[in-house]
Amino acid sequence: MWNVLLHGYGNCGQSKEALKVFQLFQEEGIIPDRIICTSIVKAHSGCSLELGYQIHAYIIEHGCDSDATVARNLIDMYIFTKRFDDAHKVFNDLKEQDISIWNSLICGYAQHGRLENSVQLFNKMQEERFRPDNMTWNVIISGYTRHGRSSEALHLFQQMLWKDIEPDTITFGWVLTVCSMIISIQMGNILYGMIVESFLENDLHVREALLIMYMTCCNIEDAQKIFNGLEFRSTRIWNAMMTGHELIGHDNDIFKCVYETIQDVDVEAKELGLWIKSPEFNDHPCNIDVVELYCKMMQEDVEPDKFTFICVLGECSKILALNQGKIIYADILECCLDQDTLICNLVIEFFIRCGSLKDSYSVFEKLQKRSVVTYNTMIAACAQSGDLELAGDYFHAMKQD
């Protein structure tokens, strides 16, 4: 009964209720087994550090700390609170470590950006005659990929094949991402052959990675085939198609810069708007109407994100599609991105370029936080239109901000 209660509260994220059950459990003086100890740790994985230490001490007191499952959950608990030294101590105190224990620590380090620690453990486990499984290989390959270390990711993939470890869909997804980073259609085609041989070509994750790789390498035809065959198209897929069509015919260095920028959604892509407006970007014709792709995306009820709007605003600005741009700005408002500095800078510049200063003023006035770029754009627009007084007002407002 105790285990069921703890497990249930833990799965529902009700840590306070789980704590009450734990306290009652202690008051009853019931001796816990490894199953109950595991449930206690899981239920309190997001608890305070002090409570975590109390739970750990309780587990040690009842001799359950040597159990691999309990230890793995203790490691996860300490990793969650970024107590890496405590997690490593749990690991080192175990008399016997299995592959799941190694993976818990390796994954934990990788998830918090401590790639070197993960790699050290990865090498150490092999020195101690442990055979990494797919999860282990995937964690290290993804870590190298996330950190832009493409050559090391590919080298590790080769090692994986030499050791007769069968890549899975996650492995192929990350290695295809590497192909996109280095813009290597040759490597991508080799991987596609391996994917077909492994009967994984219909996996959604793999197909998305293939599509993005083909678009990045300017292979529109194959990308379009995959796109047309997808039953569900994520925002990421639509973004890849729009960005790819926008950039077809451009220098690979420009493509690579934009591609690498949009991969990290946590990055404030300050330079992306400049690329969208650059002469190199705008001098080439589009083979496909990006705005049309955006409309189809909205028809399929796929929610656009920041980078969707960056791409489609760039296209609207290029073709001076004022009416379509107004519709897109309404979508921006609906998605609550109307206070995003980069988005609003692009909207303001779009309206100015289309000659609709009234709309640019309106967007500017609604902004709660304005950057130097925003002010400079408005000052330049006012000066060009001959409204020097308003340009002066914006200049003084910028100095006060």
Side-chain angles (χ1 to χ4, degrees):
M1 180 188 75
W2 297 104
N3 182 46
V4 173
L5 284 171
L6 285 167
H7 186 72
Y9 285 133
N11 284 343
C12 295
Q14 298 182 31
S15 56
K16 289 184 179 180
E17 297 300 324
L19 177 59
K20 292 178 183 178
V21 174
F22 176 53
Q23 290 170 340
L24 286 171
F25 186 85
Q26 289 178 296
E27 290 171 6
E28 292 287 333
I30 298 172
I31 299 174
D33 58 17
R34 68 178 188 85
I35 297 175
I36 289 178
C37 285
T38 299
S39 296
I40 291 170
V41 178
K42 281 185 176 180
H44 296 86
S45 59
C47 65
S48 66
L49 183 59
E50 183 181 353
L51 180 56
Y53 283 143
Q54 290 177 13
I55 291 170
H56 191 179
Y58 177 81
I59 288 170
I60 293 172
E61 180 185 346
H62 290 87
C64 293
D65 56 312
S66 60
D67 180 80
T69 304
V70 175
R72 186 173 69 250
N73 282 279
L74 281 170
I75 288 171
D76 291 342
M77 180 187 75
Y78 282 128
I79 290 290
F80 184 83
T81 54
K82 299 183 181 180
R83 298 294 301 181
F84 301 106
D85 290 342
D86 290 318
H88 220 114
K89 188 176 186 306
V90 173
F91 176 84
N92 289 333
D93 287 346
L94 278 173
K95 293 180 181 179
E96 294 183 6
Q97 293 128 342
D98 60 20
I99 188 68
S100 67
I101 295 292
W102 284 94
N103 282 346
S104 286
L105 202 53
I106 290 171
C107 291
Y109 277 128
Q111 286 168 1
H112 290 276
R114 299 175 65 132
L115 179 59
E116 295 307 321
N117 295 102
S118 292
V119 174
Q120 288 171 9
L121 280 169
F122 177 73
N123 293 331
K124 185 180 178 182
M125 74 183 295
Q126 293 177 85
E127 291 170 4
E128 296 189 11
R129 307 293 183 184
F130 281 93
R131 180 180 169 88
D133 60 12
N134 279 76
M135 177 184 287
T136 327
W137 289 97
N138 289 341
V139 167
I140 305 300
I141 291 172
S142 68
Y144 279 136
T145 307
R146 289 178 187 275
H147 285 76
R149 295 161 66 172
S150 54
S151 60
E152 288 159 295
L154 287 176
H155 178 67
L156 200 64
F157 178 64
Q158 288 175 332
Q159 284 186 328
M160 183 180 183
L161 298 177
W162 290 336
K163 293 179 181 290
D164 293 324
I165 306 293
E166 286 289 330
D168 58 17
T169 56
I170 297 172
T171 316
F172 282 122
W174 282 111
V175 182
L176 284 166
T177 300
V178 173
C179 293
S180 299
M181 291 167 60
I182 63 176
I183 312 182
S184 175
I185 189 66
Q186 293 84 3
M187 184 66 186
N189 286 333
I190 292 170
L191 286 172
Y192 180 64
M194 296 173 64
I195 289 166
V196 172
E197 288 179 2
S198 302
F199 302 102
L200 297 175
E201 68 271 23
N202 291 322
D203 180 85
L204 179 61
H205 178 72
V206 170
R207 296 181 80 181
E208 285 191 356
L210 273 168
L211 183 147
I212 291 170
M213 184 274 295
Y214 282 134
M215 290 302 293
T216 309
C217 296
C218 300
N219 185 340
I220 288 289
E221 186 177 349
D222 286 332
Q224 192 70 49
K225 287 177 183 177
I226 295 172
F227 181 80
N228 293 339
L230 287 172
E231 293 183 9
F232 171 75
R233 298 159 182 162
S234 65
T235 303
R236 186 167 176 245
I237 287 293
W238 284 99
N239 288 350
M241 289 297 291
M242 284 188 279
T243 306
H245 282 300
E246 188 79 26
L247 295 171
I248 289 300
H250 291 68
D251 187 338
N252 275 355
D253 288 338
I254 297 174
F255 198 110
K256 187 174 180 181
C257 177
V258 179
Y259 174 79
E260 288 177 349
T261 302
I262 67 172
Q263 289 308 293
D264 188 352
V265 295
D266 294 323
V267 171
E268 279 294 328
K270 296 178 181 178
E271 297 182 0
L272 195 53
L274 298 177
W275 284 109
I276 295 294
K277 299 178 294 172
S278 69
E280 295 92 345
F281 190 94
N282 287 296
D283 284 346
H284 295 273
C286 281
N287 295 325
I288 295 291
D289 187 357
V290 173
V291 178
E292 183 181 347
L293 276 172
Y294 173 79
C295 293
K296 288 180 179 178
M297 174 183 177
M298 299 301 288
Q299 288 170 5
E300 292 190 14
D301 292 326
V302 179
E303 186 173 350
D305 62 13
K306 177 175 180 174
F307 297 106
T308 313
F309 290 123
I310 288 171
C311 186
V312 74
L313 282 170
E315 173 66 7
C316 286
S317 183
K318 182 164 57 178
I319 62 177
L320 303 179
L322 179 59
N323 290 334
Q324 188 62 53
K326 288 182 177 181
I327 294 171
I328 291 167
Y329 180 57
D331 293 337
I332 289 170
L333 291 169
E334 190 174 335
C335 291
C336 301
L337 287 171
D338 54 304
Q339 292 302 316
D340 183 277
T341 305
L342 175 58
I343 294 291
C344 286
N345 284 347
L346 290 173
V347 172
I348 289 169
E349 290 164 2
F350 160 73
F351 282 133
I352 290 172
R353 190 165 183 175
C354 291
S356 181
L357 295 180
K358 182 179 179 181
D359 287 313
S360 67
Y361 297 153
S362 175
V363 175
F364 180 85
E365 294 299 330
K366 291 175 184 176
L367 269 177
Q368 296 173 6
K369 186 178 180 180
R370 297 152 182 166
S371 68
V372 174
V373 174
T374 316
Y375 274 111
N376 285 341
T377 302
M378 292 304 301
I379 291 168
C382 292
Q384 289 173 5
S385 66
D387 196 339
L388 299 181
E389 182 178 351
L390 185 56
D393 291 341
Y394 282 138
F395 177 76
H396 291 303
M398 179 177 67
K399 290 174 68 177
Q400 291 176 354
D401 273 358

